[in-house]
């Protein structure tokens, strides 16, 4: 561990000498062995994510965004390189409840109410019974679903279901939120609203968020750091540190600064495609 | 009302066809009798006679209804001639066997889903067990158990269980495997144990599948019990009524026992259906 940190601070002396990265990937490789031969899903991925960062992964499908997120979550194991989460191996980090994971589909249990679904991780992680209702209320409030605890998932719209799944991921106070195209299945209007709310939530909770998306405006609007990826083999082609202020009304998307960053993302995506 | 009319229409057609078939099938006996007595058979005597024979080849509907009435409402339920009494004998073995089969089936399914060796080792045997005709194996089981001094309820329940465990295994394996990869991954991100994943995800997911199999299983258990009552020289139960009826050519008794068995099967399936709706509604999963 010590070695990793030294190596890191050596590389990034100018940026954050004091802060140790929450997610630290060094030369991460992952090759899936499939029946059609090996698939090189990740190649030499180097990335440092600091505490409180909002990092977006953007790139065409098949470029390894999901795979990288799953590596952080210890749902996949890299075949090469070094990956630490909070200074721990991903598996240890998972066991120490370092992250909450939000999938593309809300995946709420139909036999549990919204509050029951949020209670699920708390029950599994053995939170003291008396604390649970208060926690559920708190996260329901955070995602703007106050008063919907007793409803069943089918009684809620797609956007509300996805908010409930975010609440579920927030319930146990993980410091990292991993989100894999959480709004991908929603229409644009709902999506805008949820993006705005997510930023508020991020500001209120000071979490580190890793967010996978297909949408350039979404990535630029949300992120402090945008990771552009390209496929075959899946790799990082550009990392853009956003210069936008932390306070971001929706109108910021018409600003010059925003358009400049969006342009650079588009260039990065095009360059990855041209190769 | 709109639903009842088609049902009644179909019923009326069945009854009409049945009467026609009864007249046709029983007419031979009427003609033979008439020939012996040297009398002519008119249409009206033909109809009257064929629908009122004591041992017809095919009893007429009203004869079966009368017999059913006579052996359920009119007889004391402790009487050996009461269908309620025989129905209860069959029902008790069916329920015991169904219970054993259900528990065994669920246990096997849990094993199959959680253990690779059981998955490969048990399923082929479970399938093979169902390819053996029940009529062939039931007498053997009864004889073997009888020689061990076990008779009455238990052997019948074992055969009922033998038939009812299979649909439960198949449905439950499917149900326990119903959660998709994403739901399993979610449990993994919580660092959930296998037991927690089972109780909180797999088991609730399997409930709709379980009830579908239970409906098949309970009907199969009843068939198993009746088959088990046939060869044993049993004197009690709907199966015994069927058999003694056929010994003595009591076709009316056979048919009324058949209808009692069908009614019992329908009642059992309906009860499971009511249970299903109640449980799924309680779970918030009712459609
Ligand atoms: N479990 C797996 N087995 C084999 N190949 C996989 C597996 N998961 C992902 N892949 C492959 O790895 C590549 C990256 O996939 P993925 O990370 O899902 O891309 P993205 O999320 O960027 O669309 C794709 O070519 C995909 O087919
Ligand atoms: Mg993906």
């Amino acid at each position: 561990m010590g070695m990793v940190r030294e190596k890191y601070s050596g590389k990034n002396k100018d940026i954050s000498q004091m802060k140790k990265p929450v997610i630290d990937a060094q030369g991460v490789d992952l090759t899936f062995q499939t029946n059609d031969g090996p698939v090189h899903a990740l190649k030499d991925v180097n990335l440092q994510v600091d505490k409180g960062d909002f990092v977006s992964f953007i790139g065409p499908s098949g470029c390894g965004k999901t795979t990288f997120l799953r590596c952080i979550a210890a749902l996949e194991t890299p075949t090469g390189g070094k990956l630490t989460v909070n200074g721990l191996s991903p598996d240890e980090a998972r066991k120490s409840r370092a992250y909450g994971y939000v999938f593309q589909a809300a995946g709420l249990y139909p036999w549990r109410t919204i509050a029951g679904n949020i209670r699920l991780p708390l029950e599994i992680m053995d939170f003291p019974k008396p604390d649970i209702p208060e926690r559920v209320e708190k996260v329901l409030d955070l995602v703007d679903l106050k008063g919907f605890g007793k409803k069943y998932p089918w009684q809620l719209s797609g956007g509300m279901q996805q908010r409930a799944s975010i609440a579920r991921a927030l319930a146990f106070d993980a410091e990292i939120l991993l989100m894999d195209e959480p709004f991908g299945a929603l229409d644009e209007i709902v999506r805008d609203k949820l993006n705005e709310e997510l930023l508020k939530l991020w500001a209120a909770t000071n979490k580190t968020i890793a967010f996978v998306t297909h949408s350039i405006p979404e990535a630029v609007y949300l992120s402090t750091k945008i990771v552009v990826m390209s496929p075959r083999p899946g790799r990082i082609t550009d990392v853009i540190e956003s210069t936008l202020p932390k306070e971001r009304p929706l109108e910021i998307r018409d600003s010059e600064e925003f358009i400049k960053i969006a342009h650079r993302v588009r260039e990065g995506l095009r360059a990855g495609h041209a190769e | 009302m709109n639903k009842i009319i088609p049902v009644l229409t179909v019923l009326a057609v069945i009854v009409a066809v049945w009467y026609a078939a009864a007249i046709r099938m029983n007419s031979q006996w009427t003609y033979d009798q008439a020939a012996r007595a040297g009398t002519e058979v008119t249409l009206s005597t033909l109809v009257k006679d064929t629908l009122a024979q004591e041992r017809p080849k095919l009893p007429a509907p009203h004869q079966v209804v009368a017999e059913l009435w006579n052996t359920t409402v009119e007889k004391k339920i402790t009487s050996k001639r009461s269908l309620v009494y025989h129905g209860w004998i069959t029902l008790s073995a069916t329920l015991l066997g169904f219970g054993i089969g259900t528990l065994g089936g669920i246990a096997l399914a849990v094993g199959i889903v959680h253990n690779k060796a059981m998955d490969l080792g048990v399923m082929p045997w479970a399938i093979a067990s169902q390819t053996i005709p029940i009529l062939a194996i039931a007498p053997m089981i009864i004889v073997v158990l009888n020689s061990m001094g076990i008779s009455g309820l238990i052997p019948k329940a074992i055969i009922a269980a033998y038939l009812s465990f299979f649909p439960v295994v198949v449905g439950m394996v499917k149900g326990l495997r119903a959660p998709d990869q994403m739901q399993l991954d979610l449990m993994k991100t919580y660092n959930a144990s296998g037991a927690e994943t089972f109780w909180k995800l797999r088991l609730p997911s399997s409930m709709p599948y379980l009830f579908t199999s239970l409906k098949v299983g309970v009907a199969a258990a009843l068939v198993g019990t009746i088959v088990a009552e046939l060869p044993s020289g049993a004197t009690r139960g709907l199966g015994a009524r069927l058999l003694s009826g056929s010994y003595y050519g009591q076709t009316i008794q056979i048919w009324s026992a058949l209808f009692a068995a069908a009614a019992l099967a329908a009642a059992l399936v309906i009860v499971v259906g009511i249970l299903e709706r109640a449980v799924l509604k309680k779970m918030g999963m009712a459609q």
Side-chain angles (χ1 to χ4, degrees):
Chain A
M1 203 182 99
M3 198 194 72
V4 175
R5 193 138 1 114
E6 257 166 53
K7 213 168 150 193
Y8 166 73
S9 49
K11 253 190 198 163
N12 302 277
K13 235 176 223 146
D14 47 334
I15 316 172
S16 51
Q17 270 159 332
M18 305 316 287
K19 281 194 279 183
K20 56 178 181 178
V22 173
I23 297 165
D24 188 2
Q26 313 226 3
V28 167
D29 258 292
L30 198 155
T31 309
F32 287 110
Q33 299 301 336
T34 70
N35 292 335
D36 305 332
V39 175
H40 208 164
L42 293 173
K43 181 173 182 262
D44 192 28
V45 171
N46 293 291
L47 184 71
Q48 279 76 41
V49 178
D50 294 320
K51 183 161 171 41
D53 266 352
F54 195 127
V55 51
S56 285
F57 297 86
I58 188 164
S61 58
C63 70
K65 307 181 293 291
T66 296
T67 304
F68 187 59
L69 220 58
R70 289 174 62 86
C71 285
I72 299 171
L75 295 172
E76 305 283 358
T77 313
T79 45
K82 200 150 175 67
L83 178 62
T84 62
V85 178
N86 282 340
L88 305 168
S89 77
D91 210 45
E92 288 165 335
R94 174 173 66 88
K95 287 178 182 149
S96 72
R97 307 171 195 165
Y99 68 83
Y101 203 112
V102 180
F103 294 85
Q104 176 160 11
L108 300 170
Y109 290 179
W111 57 88
R112 281 178 176 248
T113 59
I114 298 304
N117 271 284
I118 297 170
R119 240 183 279 125
L120 176 75
L122 302 177
E123 288 168 8
I124 292 172
M125 294 171 180
D126 281 328
F127 274 76
K129 275 226 167 68
D131 298 358
I132 290 182
E134 196 184 322
R135 275 179 179 274
V136 171
E137 282 311 308
K138 198 182 87 186
V139 290
L140 275 176
D141 199 18
L142 266 177
V143 299
D144 215 8
L145 277 183
K146 224 180 161 94
F148 285 90
K150 289 205 175 71
K151 292 261 190 284
Y152 278 96
W154 58 268
Q155 296 173 297
L156 268 60
S157 69
M160 288 164 102
Q161 289 187 22
Q162 197 52 279
R163 276 196 228 151
S165 93
I166 294 171
R168 182 178 59 184
L170 291 171
F172 48 96
D173 283 339
E175 279 179 31
I176 306 170
L177 204 50
L178 304 174
M179 310 177 86
D180 190 355
E181 300 192 41
F183 310 140
L186 305 175
D187 66 63
E188 193 139 349
I189 297 162
V190 176
R191 201 175 169 139
D192 275 355
K193 182 158 166 48
L194 289 184
N195 279 338
E196 210 177 358
E197 282 177 10
L198 183 59
L199 271 189
K200 279 196 202 121
L201 190 147
W202 172 62
T205 57
N206 203 27
K207 301 220 183 278
T208 308
I209 299 183
F211 186 95
V212 170
T213 178
H214 262 119
S215 149
I216 296 175
E218 190 171 67
V220 178
Y221 177 68
L222 292 171
S223 321
T224 57
K225 193 198 279 272
I226 302 159
V227 178
V228 183
M229 298 180 72
S230 75
R232 281 175 298 275
R235 64 199 184 282
I236 295 178
T237 48
D238 196 6
V239 178
I240 304 163
E241 301 285 342
S242 176
T243 46
L244 293 177
K246 203 167 172 174
E247 194 72 29
R248 298 176 188 181
L250 275 175
E251 298 78 56
I252 204 168
R253 295 182 296 185
D254 301 322
S255 73
E256 211 170 298
E257 195 70 27
F258 187 98
I259 291 163
K260 222 172 79 189
I261 299 171
H263 184 74
R264 184 168 157 196
V265 175
R266 196 169 293 117
E267 289 293 295
L269 288 172
R270 198 172 297 153
H273 221 69
E275 277 168 40
Chain B
M1 205 55 209
N2 286 341
K3 273 185 191 167
I4 289 176
I5 288 170
V7 172
L8 287 181
T9 310
V10 170
L11 194 66
V13 170
I14 290 174
V15 169
V17 169
W18 187 351
Y19 270 112
I23 292 170
R24 203 183 137 79
M25 289 178 70
N26 303 335
S27 62
Q28 192 58 50
W29 195 79
T30 307
Y31 282 125
D32 288 351
Q33 288 298 100
R36 214 166 294 165
T39 52
E40 276 291 300
V41 181
T42 64
L43 187 63
S44 73
T45 53
L46 178 71
V47 169
K48 224 168 99 187
D49 188 73
T50 49
L51 299 183
Q53 291 173 6
E54 202 177 315
R55 291 178 184 182
K57 278 193 179 136
L58 179 64
H62 68 266
Q63 290 178 296
V64 176
V65 170
E67 169 78 2
L68 278 171
W69 179 266
N70 194 17
T71 50
T72 50
V73 182
E74 305 261 296
K75 292 273 179 315
K76 275 219 305 244
I77 59 165
T78 49
S79 156
K80 287 253 155 127
R81 300 207 50 200
S82 163
L83 257 188
V84 177
Y85 167 80
H86 290 287
W88 165 247
I89 298 290
T90 300
L91 179 65
S92 55
T94 300
L95 290 180
L96 181 62
F98 175 58
I100 296 171
T102 301
L103 291 180
I106 292 174
L108 268 181
V110 171
I112 286 170
V113 168
H114 285 88
N115 185 308
K116 185 97 193 155
M118 275 189 80
D119 186 15
L120 298 174
V122 173
M123 214 46 181
W125 288 105
I127 292 167
S129 76
Q130 301 302 305
T131 63
I132 305 168
I134 186 65
L135 276 170
I137 202 164
M140 293 196 295
I141 294 176
I142 303 260
V143 167
V144 168
L145 288 175
N146 267 340
S147 74
M148 290 162 62
I150 304 168
S151 61
L153 184 68
I154 302 290
K156 293 196 275 176
I158 287 175
I159 290 163
Y162 178 89
L163 279 194
S164 64
F165 92 94
F166 186 68
V168 176
V169 171
V170 172
M172 208 50 192
V173 165
K174 195 162 176 219
L176 291 174
R177 287 192 175 142
D180 59 24
Q181 193 56 47
M182 194 202 83
Q183 290 179 306
L184 293 170
D185 281 344
L186 184 68
M187 287 309 245
K188 201 171 167 201
T189 69
Y190 300 151
N191 201 24
S193 66
E196 281 162 334
T197 305
F198 176 80
W199 289 112
K200 293 192 189 295
L201 175 58
R202 289 191 189 275
L203 194 63
S205 302
S206 73
M207 281 303 136
Y209 297 83
L210 174 64
F211 279 106
T212 305
S213 337
L214 288 184
K215 282 188 210 158
V216 180
V218 78
L222 181 66
V223 171
T225 304
I226 290 175
V227 168
E229 284 168 345
L230 292 177
S232 53
T235 51
R236 308 187 307 162
L238 293 177
R241 287 289 282 184
L242 282 173
L243 197 68
S244 69
S246 76
Y247 276 157
Y248 304 112
Q250 302 280 7
T251 43
I252 300 176
Q253 181 184 325
I254 297 177
W255 280 85
S256 61
L258 266 179
F259 272 90
L264 197 55
L268 287 171
V269 171
I270 287 169
V271 167
V272 174
I274 290 170
L275 209 65
E276 172 181 36
R277 217 167 315 149
V279 169
L280 294 188
K281 189 164 179 214
K282 182 115 203 300
M283 289 174 74
M285 286 167 89
Q287 270 85 38

